[in-house]
Amino acid sequence: MPLSLPFDNSYARLPGRFHARLDPTPVASPGLIAVNDTLAQELGLAPQTLRSASGVQMLAGNAVPEGAAPLAQAYAGHQFGGWVPQLGDGRAILLGEVIDTNGTRRDIQLKGAGPTPFSRRGDGRAAIGPVLREYIVSEAMHALGIPTSRALAAVTTGEAVLRERPLPGAVLTRVAASHIRVGTFQYFAARGDTEALRLLTDHAIARHYPQAETALDLLNGVIAAQARLIARWMGVGFIHGVMNTDNMTISGETIDYGPCAFMDTYHPDKVFSSIDQHGRYAFSRQPDIAVWNLAQLASSLLPLINDNDEAAVETATAALRGFGDLFRAEWLSVFRAKLGLTTAEPEDADLISGLLDRMAFARADFTNTFRGLADDSARDQFTQAEAFDQWATAWQARLARDLPDHQARLRAASPAYIPRNHRIEQAIQAALTGDLTPFHALNAVLARPFDDQPKQAAYALPPRPEETVTRTFCGT
Ligand code: AMP
Ligand code: MG
């Protein structure tokens, strides 16, 4: 008997050109990898139901729950700056939307659920490695307090997917505030479909920016949300790796964990993605790329901003110019907190950059340097300790002008644990031999990133040279 979930599918009610309606393609032999109990409860779903035989069938796409309206969303996008007029969900199927226990509408989507009309040459499937990677990293981001899509569950399919070699297939159940992207707006703008743009704008406003009244309000809302998001990425050393416009949400949540990575040693130019040969999406370029993407959103919205083209461009350009100040303010607030500061002084930006510059020079571990500010171990990250000491003298003087008891504030602003690439790799390699223990152990540590967890100290260590991961791969 198929499960019944309390769906209310607003995206499915949009006109037919927004999506392709189809069911997931069943798989040979579903097996449970993980269910996220806390998230299930937040969604009003019983974890034991998801873990049951019929639950696992549903999570694998073999049984469509009652009330679902499965569909693949249409969207377009710029990939590495190149325009692709039609992308769309090529391997993801939205089962539907539920209203969670906080009253928020959430998408439930199966990623790796089989081919769709948008699959192009792809097989519609996902390999277990990228599924586990997205599960680990998206849940770690959430625990770090960073807006993100979530992982509700992961299952194996009992089928092989062919990549460079055959790999076990898996399906991730992704939960998001919505899957509407910059590329969704671009899709309709490129087709001159102003009616669809208007419907999409109303839909996005109702879901994500209820105070907004106009397309310009929506644009401003997304600009502010993305400025906030990217400052938070940078506060934990996160590199998204594939900030194409189809991977940038309107909600302001992080989405699409393909070749992403957290830095171990800090460098502003760091790139991990094997497909990012020119460093387009390098760590410190992320705010610039965000503006570039937001400009694509702005130009998609022009016909709704003003009937007069010139006036529309002028208004949208002014809105985009706001990004720089918003980002700067968010970045300062993130990094002031990481230095234990609660007040603002004009020289704070120099103090922050002073530390980051020294860290880059010393190849200091990003996470352990900031965490180490709370217990004086930051100094160990610097081969030339005088460089750090000189900075620390200025920092101490600045701290003395702020509130006392900065230790607890430092620990609350800088995690001890991030999903380090070598740990993710170890969890994936073990899973490929059938051992899920490292995957579960890693998730448990990352669920409490700001707690000291002395027994788990090994998870805070950077990779040994032979463990270092220098490249990450797009999970297709
Ligand atoms: P991504 O790089 O994951 O953002 O995906 C870019 C586009 O390629 C999206 O339209 C995806 O749906 C599509 N895609 C990625 N992998 C596959 C696959 N294995 N089969 C079909 N479509 C895919
Ligand atoms: Mg994508």
Side-chain angles (χ1 to χ4, degrees), residues 75 79 87-92 111 115 118-126 163 181 242 244 246-247 256 258 474-476:
Y75 54 85
Q79 299 192 308
L87 288 162
D89 290 329
R91 57 165 165 171
K111 188 170 174 183
F118 305 110
S119 295
R120 295 174 292 161
R121 283 181 301 277
D123 58 4
R125 293 298 182 188
R163 297 298 180 250
R181 307 139 193 273
V242 59
N244 294 333
D246 55 303
N247 292 336
D256 217 315
C474 225
T476 52

Side-chain angles (χ1 to χ4, degrees), residues 185-469:
F185 284 85
Q186 290 181 283
Y187 179 85
F188 294 112
R191 284 157 182 75
D193 190 346
T194 310
E195 191 202 44
L197 275 177
R198 199 163 279 129
L199 289 169
L200 183 61
T201 299
D202 291 346
H203 180 92
I205 287 177
R207 280 180 87 158
H208 305 304
Y209 301 92
Q211 301 90 333
E213 287 173 357
T214 64
L216 179 63
D217 294 345
L218 173 67
L219 176 62
N220 279 318
V222 180
I223 289 172
Q226 287 293 340
R228 202 179 137 74
L229 178 66
I230 287 157
R232 270 150 190 77
W233 287 355
M234 297 185 75
V236 293
F238 177 76
I239 305 171
H240 183 282
V242 59
M243 284 178 73
N244 294 333
T245 56
D246 55 303
N247 292 336
M248 183 181 263
T249 60
I250 296 303
S251 66
E253 286 182 344
T254 314
I255 199 171
D256 217 315
Y257 293 90
C260 65
F262 282 72
M263 281 188 282
D264 296 303
T265 56
Y266 171 68
H267 200 284
D269 302 333
K270 197 131 230 181
V271 178
F272 280 92
S273 168
S274 59
I275 55 172
D276 189 2
Q277 275 150 16
H278 305 288
R280 179 179 171 90
Y281 299 142
F283 178 73
S284 61
R285 293 209 56 193
Q286 296 182 116
D288 289 344
I289 290 294
V291 181
W292 195 93
N293 290 349
L294 291 163
Q296 309 312 313
L297 176 64
S299 67
S300 300
L301 288 171
L302 288 177
L304 305 186
I305 290 177
N306 200 311
D307 289 336
N308 178 303
D309 291 353
E310 251 172 69
V313 169
E314 204 168 302
T315 309
T317 308
L320 288 168
R321 279 210 198 91
F323 181 92
D325 284 346
L326 286 167
F327 175 77
R328 191 85 188 141
E330 295 288 353
W331 185 89
L332 275 171
S333 125
V334 165
F335 279 91
R336 275 199 180 104
K338 293 176 83 69
L339 296 190
L341 306 176
T342 65
T343 56
E345 291 187 8
E347 294 79 25
D348 291 345
D350 289 342
L351 189 67
I352 297 163
S353 304
L355 177 59
L356 289 170
D357 291 348
R358 285 169 172 78
M359 285 166 62
F361 188 77
R363 298 176 194 282
D365 184 87
F366 185 92
T367 304
N368 291 345
T369 303
F370 280 105
R371 182 72 174 189
L373 294 176
D375 63 10
D376 296 329
S377 68
R379 191 173 192 267
D380 306 342
Q381 294 293 327
F382 295 82
T383 32
Q384 292 164 307
E386 318 80 67
F388 176 76
D389 292 341
Q390 194 194 29
W391 176 84
T393 307
W395 175 50
Q396 291 296 342
R398 173 65 182 85
L399 269 179
R401 297 193 293 275
D402 212 299
L403 295 178
D405 301 324
H406 56 270
Q407 246 88 7
R409 292 201 300 275
L410 288 167
R411 267 192 284 269
S414 291
Y417 302 100
I418 49 145
R420 292 186 185 265
N421 300 313
H422 66 295
R423 287 288 181 179
I424 298 173
E425 233 14 79
Q426 285 164 8
I428 291 172
Q429 291 312 320
L432 287 170
T433 70
D435 179 11
L436 288 170
T437 318
F439 168 74
H440 291 302
L442 181 57
N443 284 325
V445 174
L446 296 174
R448 298 162 46 213
F450 298 101
D451 294 356
D452 277 326
Q453 307 187 55
K455 286 197 189 118
Q456 310 299 345
Y459 287 90
L461 296 176
R464 290 190 303 268
E466 73 276 14
E467 291 174 324
T468 306
V469 176

